[in-house]
Every structure is written in C-alpha cells, then in structure tokens.
Amino acid sequence: MILEHRAYTMQAGNLERFYETQVERGFDVISPVLDRLIGYFSTVTGPLEQVVHLYAFDSLEDWRDRLHGLYGIPELEPYFKKVRPIMLAQENHVLLPSPIPKLTPHFTLDQYWQRIDGPLTGSEDMRDLLFEEQIISLAPGMLQKYWDLMAETGVKALTPLETNQMGSFFMMVGPLHQIYHYWFFDGFDDRTRRHNAVRMNPEWVAFQESIRSIVVKQESKLMRPAPVDEMVPIFRQA
C-alpha cells in the first residue's frame, strides 16, 4: 500500500469554483481513481486557497494504471480545460505507513481503509470537523531513530488522540526524512483539549526531549472536509 498526497493551490478566490468543476464533471468518469480516494480537504491554516487530497493505492503500478488512464478519456478534456486555468500550483508526494502498528490503525502495507468500508466517524454533520496534517522534518538518517523513540515513549503519550487518528506515514517519494501524522477532531475545542492532554503527559515531555536534536522542522496544517460528499468518503457516506 502507498499513500498519495496531492496539494492543489488555487488562484485567489477560486476555491469554490474548483469544487463546482468537480460536480459539473461528475464522478462516474473518474471511478478508477475515486475508488482509491480517502478525501479532499481545504486549508483553514497554512497556505490559502489550497486543497489537499489523499489516496491509498495497492502499489505504484496501481497508482500509474488508475491515474494515467484518466488522461486518455475524451469526456474529461472539458473538465481539464476548466480547472487548470484556476490553479497556481500542483504537487504530489508518495508516502508509506508507519512501521508502528498503533500509529496506523487504518492503513498498513498489506491492508488499508477503502471506500467500501464506510466512514470512520458516525457523525452526519461534518461542518465542524477538523482534519490535521502534522509534518515532522528530520535530520538526514534519523528516520529509524525517530520511530524507535516514538515506540519507546511517544506512543504512550498519544492515548488521548487514539480515537482521532487516521494514520502516520513517512516519505517515499518527495522531500526525504519527513513524517506525516493525520488526526481528525470534532472542532477546534476538541483538538485543543486532546492536544493539551498529550502535552501534559510526562511521557510526551520525555519524547520531545529525546527527538529535539534530530528534528529540523515541525509544522501543522488544519483543514476542513470538502463540501461535496463524494469527495470525502472517509468521513461521509457517499
């Protein structure tokens, strides 16, 4: 299993238009890729007018066959002509699941969440849901040490986030030595409460002390699920 991370940055004022083009195009025509979709998310913090979308594929071959097959479909050409001019930038990375099972409750190399499994939450109202992407950039060669230290002290302290965890991953293709953690919350208050519970845990303090010398950068991005149900199957029943 591989996770594809895509980030599309729109020209100012075109975020809603981007979602409109998805509905106008329809979803049946892109079913090969839609079957592997985790979700589309719009940034609340971080880069403005950005949409992050995540997909889980069996392999790089599965990714290539499903994605590249779309470019030969004539019915998609009008969509490409509409959506490309409103974008400023597109980028993608390929990630692998963490080797620590407790950090990957829904995604492993051999088995992973799919649309047919249904949403991770039982709530029908996703308007307040927050999706957090935390990126940890490490010094060269420090990836395994990070996982070792996480297994030793970090995992214990993350108990308040267990029920909110989508998964943790590391970079396969893209900037090296990066960790991606994903969580979801009922809202800002829920996120603040759970993160504060983690920070107050002595195990977490010890973990932060242990990784300080190997961490180059830490950043966090908060996002909202796309306003179109078909585009967020991990949180909405499409």
Side-chain angles (χ1 to χ4, degrees), residues 10-157:
M10 308 298 155
Q11 295 188 28
N14 278 286
L15 183 61
E16 290 186 8
R17 180 58 189 148
F18 171 78
Y19 285 124
E20 288 172 357
T21 63
Q22 312 306 304
V23 176
E24 292 168 0
R25 176 209 59 217
F27 299 99
D28 289 344
V29 70
I30 62 165
S31 60
V33 170
L34 204 66
D35 287 344
R36 293 293 182 261
L37 176 65
I38 294 172
Y40 279 65
F41 306 92
S42 305
T43 53
V44 176
T45 64
L48 298 177
E49 303 278 339
Q50 188 176 85
V51 175
V52 170
H53 34 134
L54 305 174
Y55 304 84
F57 293 97
D58 294 342
S59 62
L60 283 171
E61 290 76 16
D62 184 38
W63 166 81
R64 180 196 60 208
D65 293 344
R66 290 175 181 272
L67 181 68
H68 290 192
L70 298 183
Y71 299 129
I73 300 176
E75 293 85 353
L76 283 176
E77 192 58 33
Y79 161 72
F80 291 139
K81 288 181 178 179
K82 287 180 183 178
V83 75
R84 285 169 176 164
I86 68 174
M87 293 184 185
L88 287 176
Q90 295 175 288
E91 58 182 287
N92 78 320
H93 304 311
V94 177
L95 306 155
L96 292 173
S98 163
I100 301 175
K102 291 208 74 172
L103 296 182
T104 56
H106 309 289
F107 297 89
T108 68
L109 286 174
D110 301 320
Q111 189 173 2
Y112 57 91
W113 178 92
Q114 296 186 48
R115 177 183 290 263
I116 59 173
D117 297 326
L120 294 186
T121 66
S123 174
E124 295 182 358
D125 188 355
M126 295 289 103
R127 287 175 297 181
D128 293 328
L129 188 143
L130 277 181
F131 189 61
E132 180 171 9
E133 175 184 88
Q134 185 184 92
I135 304 175
I136 312 293
S137 300
L138 304 172
M142 293 293 109
L143 184 61
Q144 186 56 52
K145 185 172 183 179
Y146 177 89
W147 293 129
D148 291 342
L149 293 170
M150 173 64 82
E152 183 179 338
T153 56
V155 171
K156 299 175 186 176

Side-chain angles (χ1 to χ4, degrees), residues 131-134 181-183 185 191 195 220-222:
F131 189 61
E132 180 171 9
E133 175 184 88
Q134 185 184 92
H181 297 296
Y182 290 102
W183 299 288
F185 304 96
R191 176 183 179 271
H195 274 296
S220 183
K221 182 186 297 181
L222 300 180

Side-chain angles (χ1 to χ4, degrees), residues 173-238:
V173 180
L176 298 178
H177 319 296
Q178 283 192 342
I179 308 287
Y180 281 63
H181 297 296
Y182 290 102
W183 299 288
F184 55 93
F185 304 96
D186 291 338
F188 284 101
D189 290 344
D190 183 41
R191 176 183 179 271
T192 299
R193 177 174 58 83
R194 292 180 184 274
H195 274 296
N196 284 345
V198 171
R199 294 189 185 100
M200 293 173 62
N201 191 317
E203 295 277 7
W204 185 252
V205 175
F207 172 66
Q208 291 296 305
E209 289 287 343
S210 69
I211 67 171
R212 184 165 293 138
S213 64
I214 68 172
V215 172
V216 175
K217 183 180 180 182
Q218 298 185 80
E219 54 189 305
S220 183
K221 182 186 297 181
L222 300 180
M223 298 175 277
R224 296 285 193 196
V228 183
D229 287 355
E230 292 90 343
M231 300 175 71
V232 204
I234 199 166
F235 295 130
R236 290 194 177 103
Q237 187 65 62

